[in-house]
Amino acid sequence: MSSNYLDIIRPGINTTFQDKGRDHLYHIGIPFSGAMDNRNYLIANKLVNNNLDSAVIEFAYQGPHIKYSGEKINFAVTGDVIFSIKKKDTEIEGKCYVSYQIENGDEVNIISTNKSVYGYLALGGELDLKFQWNSCSINTKANIGSNDGKKLDIGQRINLKKINSNKDLKNTNYINTKIENIRVIKGTNFDYFSEEGKKIFYQKEFTVSKLSDRMGMRLEGPKIENIVNTNIKSEGLIKGVIQVPADGNPIIMLSDHGTVGGYPKIGAVVSADYDRLVQMAPGSKIKFKEINLSDAETLFKLYEMETQNLLSQI
Amino acid sequence: MIKNISNLGDAALYCDFGNEVNKSINSQVIKYFKTIKEKKFEGINNLTPSYNKLIISYDLKKTNFKEVKNYVENINAEDSKDINSKKLEIPVCCHENFSLDIKRLEEILKLSREKILENFLNKEYFCYMTGFIAGMPFLGDLDENMRAQRLETPRIKVPKGSVALTEQFANIYTFESPGGWNILGNTPLDVFDSSKEDKPNLINPGDTVIFKEITLDQYKNYNE
């Protein structure tokens, strides 16, 4: 029996447990999953003295309201998130990228993400979760992972297996940056699209549709015309790939994406821009900018170096 | 053999084995897939074989396009072990509750519902690959007169168990998911079971599948 646990007073809209994700399973149709915004996931763990691959609570838009019972424990929230901490008779506004201590009876109410999509709540300890294929990441579409592969629900109790003995409070003044253009590499079916369609892809603005989730981001805007074939033989995909079905509206594959797909690929978002891409909320405007492979590799190296720097300063 | 290697984004190799779909090309793909999978190259985190392509995705923190390409080009794809060839019968109910795209299929194929079912059922289909969603089998080949394109706008939700067609292939939606295939019926059978971590898929590449029609009553009573 665990004496340290969380009760879910309100689960939020799309609240799941996520960690580093699971690999080596695409060939049977199981995607990578894992935290959508990897940088914010890592920072959350670092702020509470966890191993960097520990499971955290990921939420989208409205987050969970939880009540904690047990010994003192640290927690931290990352992303661009509005939340409050309720202790006995006082309620204070929480700050992201700062770790706090909570004790028996305290509540954390994650009200919403601010002009972004995903936020992370890390607790200084180890959540008692089931691992499936070496990861407890929840994939709600295939019902894979901890919590029977389902979103967190009202009234649910989450036990902690252990609590970190290191209770040093940490903080960092990281600011989530937005980028003007999402950089892409030309797709393997780029020539399927008309000259006008290619121009539209690189020059026009697209709007993130409400029909976006952990599987994919659908875009609306000017239609991209296909002049060869609106279907290809289904083949493997990776996150970031942009497919354009017959209706001419691009769909970007995200972390829970289908492992194969049969729509022509006009491009693929570079790895360095992925964390910022997933944070673009419905209604946000997106413009694509083409770069080449070697620039994309360099950008990722820089992005990764920056992430490591951020982590080492915490 | 691999005809061309290019990049898919900045974290995957796109290995092209040709444009045709046939068992001979598909078995080449599977051969490479199995060989590379066994060798466990540091940094490769996923291999996705399909009809005639192999996508190899890797961790950009550990390796890059040039390294993985060089590795794949110098691989000797040994003869892979025989693909097991199970023969499976899949019950399918094509009642109007389930055959969501029958009208569309009748129009596109210019065939009656009866003729479509007659052409589809009781025939052997080869499993080329599994994927898109967990455990979904891609089965071929449908008769020439049964080939329809995907929906123009994919559905947000295709019901679990849907048996659907596109071009020369049939598949089974192992979960409710988005999808653009033409839905002909539904199977009550669980085609994917995540509790079996080492063997979650009922149908694997190389298997043969035959669809047998069941009535709505049989469907309802199937799992009781």
Side-chain angles (χ1 to χ4, degrees), chain A residues 184-203:
Chain A
V184 295
I185 290 177
K186 199 187 272 184
T188 45
N189 307 112
F190 190 71
D191 294 334
Y192 276 48
F193 301 95
S194 68
E195 287 308 312
E196 184 60 22
K198 292 173 190 168
K199 258 193 218 159
I200 287 172
F201 182 63
Y202 287 129
Q203 293 173 6

Side-chain angles (χ1 to χ4, degrees), chain A residues 26 185 237-239 241 268-272 293 296-297 300, chain B residues 6-14 43-46 55-61 63-65 68:
Chain A
Y26 274 27
I185 290 177
L237 297 171
I238 57 165
K239 68 181 188 181
V241 164
V269 174
V270 302
S271 300
L293 176 62
E297 287 174 342
F300 183 77
Chain B
S6 55
N7 62 302
L8 176 60
D10 57 12
L13 233 64
Y14 183 87
I44 289 181
N45 50 29
N46 268 302
I55 309 297
I56 304 172
S57 59
Y58 47 84
D59 185 345
L60 258 187
K61 292 197 278 287
T63 185
N64 59 38
F65 179 72
V68 182

Side-chain angles (χ1 to χ4, degrees), chain B residues 116-127:
Chain B
I116 290 172
L117 294 188
E118 187 193 313
N119 285 347
F120 177 68
L121 298 162
N122 308 311
K123 287 189 182 154
E124 289 192 356
Y125 299 109
F126 174 77
C127 177

Side-chain angles (χ1 to χ4, degrees), chain B residues 127-146:
Chain B
C127 177
Y128 282 94
M129 61 169 171
T130 54
F132 178 59
I133 52 173
M136 177 189 270
F138 286 70
L139 310 162
D141 297 332
L142 297 177
D143 292 349
E144 294 276 354
N145 61 356
M146 288 285 285

Side-chain angles (χ1 to χ4, degrees), chain A residues 26-164:
Chain A
Y26 274 27
H27 62 286
I28 54 171
I30 298 175
F32 214 90
S33 295
M36 293 288 279
D37 178 344
N38 193 54
R39 181 184 273 179
N40 270 308
Y41 157 70
L42 297 171
I43 296 174
N45 271 325
K46 191 73 195 277
L47 284 168
V48 295
N49 309 304
N50 275 353
N51 290 332
L52 291 180
D53 60 358
S54 300
V56 302
I57 296 174
E58 179 184 275
F59 46 88
Y61 314 114
Q62 186 201 50
H65 180 181
I66 58 165
K67 182 173 181 179
Y68 179 71
S69 303
E71 305 157 53
K72 278 183 185 155
I73 189 174
N74 291 2
F75 86 94
V77 173
T78 62
D80 187 357
V81 181
I82 301 161
F83 70 101
S84 69
I85 305 157
K86 199 173 159 191
K87 286 173 169 285
K88 292 194 184 81
D89 300 323
T90 62
E91 185 159 7
I92 63 157
E93 196 183 320
K95 277 196 188 122
C96 291
Y97 304 104
V98 174
S99 62
Y100 295 92
Q101 207 161 65
I102 42 172
E103 55 192 321
N104 196 37
D106 291 353
E107 292 174 20
V108 178
N109 186 3
I110 296 177
I111 296 148
S112 71
T113 51
N114 180 32
K115 291 177 195 144
S116 57
V117 183
Y118 296 100
Y120 297 89
L121 166 63
L123 290 133
E126 195 185 334
L127 299 167
D128 188 9
L129 301 175
K130 185 178 92 175
F131 278 73
Q132 218 169 356
W133 290 290
N134 299 317
S135 164
C136 51
S137 284
I138 293 175
N139 173 340
T140 58
K141 302 288 174 179
N143 294 137
I144 289 170
S146 55
N147 208 38
D148 296 326
K150 294 188 168 66
K151 293 179 199 178
L152 269 60
D153 206 354
I154 190 163
Q156 204 179 328
R157 179 163 290 182
I158 302 154
N159 290 312
L160 281 133
K161 242 190 219 168
K162 72 179 213 344
I163 282 179
N164 293 345

Side-chain angles (χ1 to χ4, degrees), chain A residues 22-32 38 131-134 141-144 185-189 211 213 215 218 229-238 241 245-248 251 257-263 265 267-272 293 296-297 300-301 304 308, chain B residues 6-12 14 19 21 33 37 44-53 55 57-58 60-61 64-66 129-136 138 149-156 166-169 175-181 192 194-198 200-201:
Chain A
R22 47 180 74 83
D23 50 18
H24 303 297
L25 294 163
Y26 274 27
H27 62 286
I28 54 171
I30 298 175
F32 214 90
N38 193 54
F131 278 73
Q132 218 169 356
W133 290 290
N134 299 317
K141 302 288 174 179
N143 294 137
I144 289 170
I185 290 177
K186 199 187 272 184
T188 45
N189 307 112
L211 300 172
D213 58 15
M215 275 189 96
R218 289 177 186 241
N229 193 337
T230 53
N231 288 263
I232 58 167
K233 298 285 173 278
S234 287
E235 58 187 39
L237 297 171
I238 57 165
V241 164
D247 66 8
I251 304 175
H257 68 85
T259 53
V260 300
Y263 296 114
K265 299 183 259 294
V269 174
V270 302
S271 300
L293 176 62
E297 287 174 342
F300 183 77
K301 263 185 210 149
E304 178 57 17
Q308 292 308 324
Chain B
S6 55
N7 62 302
L8 176 60
D10 57 12
Y14 183 87
N19 287 323
V21 174
F33 161 66
K37 192 163 186 282
I44 289 181
N45 50 29
N46 268 302
L47 295 155
T48 322
S50 59
Y51 307 115
N52 48 26
K53 306 282 186 285
I55 309 297
S57 59
Y58 47 84
L60 258 187
K61 292 197 278 287
N64 59 38
F65 179 72
K66 205 173 152 194
M129 61 169 171
T130 54
F132 178 59
I133 52 173
M136 177 189 270
F138 286 70
Q149 296 265 296
R150 283 178 183 75
L151 309 185
E152 297 228 322
T153 302
R155 279 193 171 81
I156 305 293
T166 272
E167 296 175 344
Q168 77 239 53
F169 311 106
F175 290 94
E176 180 183 276
S177 94
W181 289 42
F192 176 80
S194 67
S195 68
K196 298 173 186 157
E197 280 200 21
D198 51 338
N201 288 3

